[in-house]
Amino acid sequence: MGFFDELGKKISGASQEVVQKGKEMADTAKFNSMIHDEERKISAVYGKIGKKYFEDFQNAPTEGFKDFVDEIHAAQAKIAEIQEKLKALKADVTEKVENVAEKAKDAASSTVEQVVEDAKSVGTEGAAKVEEAAAKVEDAASDAADALSKE
């Protein structure tokens, strides 16, 4: 029985060691996460400090900050340039859309006018045919009346 007792003790000791290592790893991950959170807070504050410094001293930066301020001014100028290009592009697209809409409106109007002209033409042709038919009916009626009066 000594063998199994010894084996049980070894397994128990190993499992406790695994549990302990797992707990240590979890604690390590937790502490690393807490450190990372604090580092992000610091980075955010650095950003706020830089923004505040730029706002306060952009026209007269102290030695060592001029290059950074110049980089920001260059980026702002580039943004303004891109915004102007975007504005021009939007205006161009708007103009093109309006031109296409006007052409479509003109085409629709032209089509409607053509349909009206065609309808008038059909109406005029139809009226002429009706008048012809009426004249033939009138002639036929007159011929029939003459034939009846001769009898």
Side-chain angles (χ1 to χ4, degrees):
M1 273 283 183
F3 172 75
F4 290 112
D5 288 336
E6 192 64 32
L7 181 62
K9 287 179 185 178
K10 286 182 181 181
I11 291 174
S12 177
S15 65
Q16 286 178 359
E17 191 174 317
V18 168
V19 168
Q20 183 61 34
K21 290 290 181 187
K23 184 178 179 201
E24 289 172 6
M25 288 177 64
D27 288 344
T28 299
K30 178 180 159 186
F31 291 141
N32 283 333
S33 176
M34 292 168 66
I35 289 169
H36 184 68
D37 289 345
E38 293 305 314
E39 288 173 341
R40 277 189 292 183
K41 288 178 185 177
I42 290 170
S43 291
V45 173
Y46 282 156
K48 290 176 185 178
I49 290 169
K51 184 175 181 180
K52 177 72 172 144
Y53 179 88
F54 178 79
E55 289 169 352
D56 291 349
F57 300 104
Q58 65 179 312
N59 295 323
T62 59
E63 190 62 37
F65 290 95
K66 185 176 180 342
D67 290 342
F68 298 127
V69 171
D70 289 345
E71 282 184 52
I72 292 172
H73 283 138
Q76 288 173 332
K78 187 71 173 176
I79 289 169
E81 178 184 322
I82 294 168
Q83 286 174 331
E84 285 301 315
K85 288 179 181 178
L86 182 60
K87 187 177 176 181
L89 179 63
K90 285 180 181 179
D92 186 47
V93 168
T94 300
E95 181 182 340
K96 287 179 180 177
V97 167
E98 288 172 354
N99 287 341
V100 168
E102 188 63 33
K103 286 179 182 177
K105 183 179 172 185
D106 290 345
S109 177
S110 174
T111 302
V112 168
E113 290 172 2
Q114 185 61 46
V115 168
V116 169
E117 287 300 317
D118 291 348
K120 285 180 182 177
S121 176
V122 168
T124 303
E125 289 174 13
K129 289 183 180 184
V130 168
E131 286 178 16
E132 272 181 46
K136 287 181 182 178
V137 168
E138 196 175 294
D139 288 344
S142 178
D143 289 344
D146 286 344
L148 284 175
S149 63
K150 290 183 183 179
E151 289 181 8

